[in-house]
Amino acid sequence: MIPETRRRRASTTEKSERILKMSRSLTLTRSVLAGTLAEATPNQLDFIERWFTAELDSRERSKRLRLLKQAGFPADKTLDGYDWTNLKMPADWGRAQLENLEFIDRHEDLVLYGPVGVGKSHLAIAIGRLACERGVPVRFFTATGLLMRLRRAQQENRLDRELASIGKARLLIIDEFGYLPIDEEGSRLLFQIISDSYETRSIIYTTNIEFSGWGRVLGDKNMAAALIDRTVHHGRLIRFEGRSYRSEHALMTK
């Protein structure tokens, strides 16, 4: 009895290995699948349904992990426990619209404006991660990091490929815009990214510079005016107030 059991187990193991080997070179053919389903018993149909459900769930998990990795977030920030009290939203728009990500479907931009340390980057990252969880391709850059990346690509004669790679994202996050001045070449590169994104994808900016100061940041008032015009046309301003979280929770005291 025991040898027979062992033979059955060995046969099952060999068959499983053959099926796994075949699966590596096969994709489902609808006509073959339809024929199989037509001949399947109710128990077999239940099994196939569980199998396909597990496969789709696995693919979704893999996609989310891939999107999170590609996005380049610097930290694992979420909306859990986020303090919304210091935010001033537009009159006709609020937290619900932000969390359901409708602005991405509409190719709208967001400007998160306020002093340093009040949660702008946290919110931008949390929204970006939420988008990835829902299958939306996202790319995150600091303004300085993005310009360095574009300059390097330009020097290596692959700027078009770099722009195309960034352009695959449906949401682009530019963090710390205006923290450092941008030279003329950098302004042109940044403006190219923003122009390419206009009405095709969404951008989230975090900045402590009001619109009137963007000309100083870019070093070109005309370019700044064109950038602001595009942003305001399809964008919303979220104001942050209050004191810096880092200052209030600093280990180093005065």
Side-chain angles (χ1 to χ4, degrees):
M1 189 68 180
I2 294 178
E4 178 63 25
T5 301
R6 288 176 177 172
R7 281 196 295 272
R8 285 200 300 269
R9 288 178 178 173
S11 176
T12 299
T13 299
E14 291 174 1
K15 187 174 292 185
S16 296
E17 290 176 350
R18 288 199 303 272
I19 292 172
L20 286 172
K21 185 176 181 180
M22 287 188 292
S23 72
R24 298 189 186 102
S25 58
L26 288 177
T27 55
L28 293 176
T29 303
R30 294 183 67 86
S31 60
V32 174
L33 176 61
T36 301
L37 295 178
E39 298 176 359
T41 66
N43 286 339
Q44 289 171 335
L45 288 173
D46 288 342
F47 171 78
I48 293 172
E49 184 177 27
R50 291 197 304 271
W51 168 25
F52 281 18
T53 299
E55 177 66 25
L56 290 172
D57 289 345
S58 176
R59 292 185 183 188
E60 279 299 311
R61 287 193 299 271
S62 296
K63 180 181 178 180
R64 289 195 296 268
L65 290 173
R66 184 177 69 255
L67 290 176
L68 286 168
K69 183 177 180 181
Q70 290 175 345
F73 298 116
D76 295 338
K77 302 294 186 180
T78 70
L79 294 177
D80 294 340
Y82 186 76
D83 184 2
W84 298 87
T85 58
N86 292 331
L87 277 68
K88 284 192 174 181
M89 300 280 196
D92 60 341
W93 199 85
R95 177 177 172 181
Q97 289 79 10
L98 181 63
E99 291 182 321
N100 67 24
L101 306 180
E102 67 175 23
F103 73 96
I104 297 178
D105 293 330
R106 297 180 179 181
H107 306 142
E108 295 174 349
D109 299 333
L110 301 179
V111 177
L112 312 188
Y113 165 71
V116 174
V118 291
K120 303 186 301 295
S121 297
H122 183 141
L123 182 60
I125 294 170
I127 291 299
R129 290 180 64 86
L130 180 61
C132 289
E133 291 288 341
R134 297 182 185 174
V136 177
V138 180
R139 297 295 297 274
F140 177 97
F141 302 99
T142 63
T144 302
L146 176 58
L147 289 176
M148 290 177 61
R149 190 182 188 97
L150 295 175
R151 283 196 179 102
R152 184 164 59 248
Q154 187 177 51
Q155 292 169 358
E156 298 172 359
N157 296 317
R158 53 178 182 82
L159 181 59
D160 288 344
R161 292 202 306 273
E162 187 66 42
L163 292 173
S165 175
I166 295 173
K168 293 177 181 178
R170 288 178 54 201
L171 172 62
L172 177 62
I173 300 174
I174 302 179
D175 193 31
E176 299 180 350
F177 177 80
Y179 283 35
L180 294 174
I182 303 171
D183 61 20
E184 184 178 350
E185 180 188 8
S187 296
R188 286 197 299 269
L189 290 171
L190 184 61
F191 186 74
Q192 186 170 354
I193 285 280
I194 295 167
S195 295
D196 290 345
S197 299
Y198 182 59
E199 295 188 330
T200 61
R201 69 183 58 83
S202 294
I203 301 179
I204 295 179
Y205 303 88
T206 74
T207 183
N208 62 349
I209 305 295
E210 58 187 13
F211 284 138
S212 62
W214 284 26
R216 295 194 309 274
V217 174
L218 294 173
D220 186 317
K221 292 183 178 180
N222 293 329
M223 194 175 296
L227 190 157
I228 293 169
D229 182 65
R230 285 163 169 75
T231 303
V232 171
H233 182 214
H234 289 305
R236 302 179 190 275
L237 177 65
I238 300 177
R239 294 179 178 271
F240 289 68
E241 299 176 343
R243 294 187 58 194
S244 166
Y245 176 88
R246 288 186 288 271
S247 295
E248 291 186 347
H249 296 81
L251 294 176
M252 186 180 296
T253 58
K254 295 181 179 180

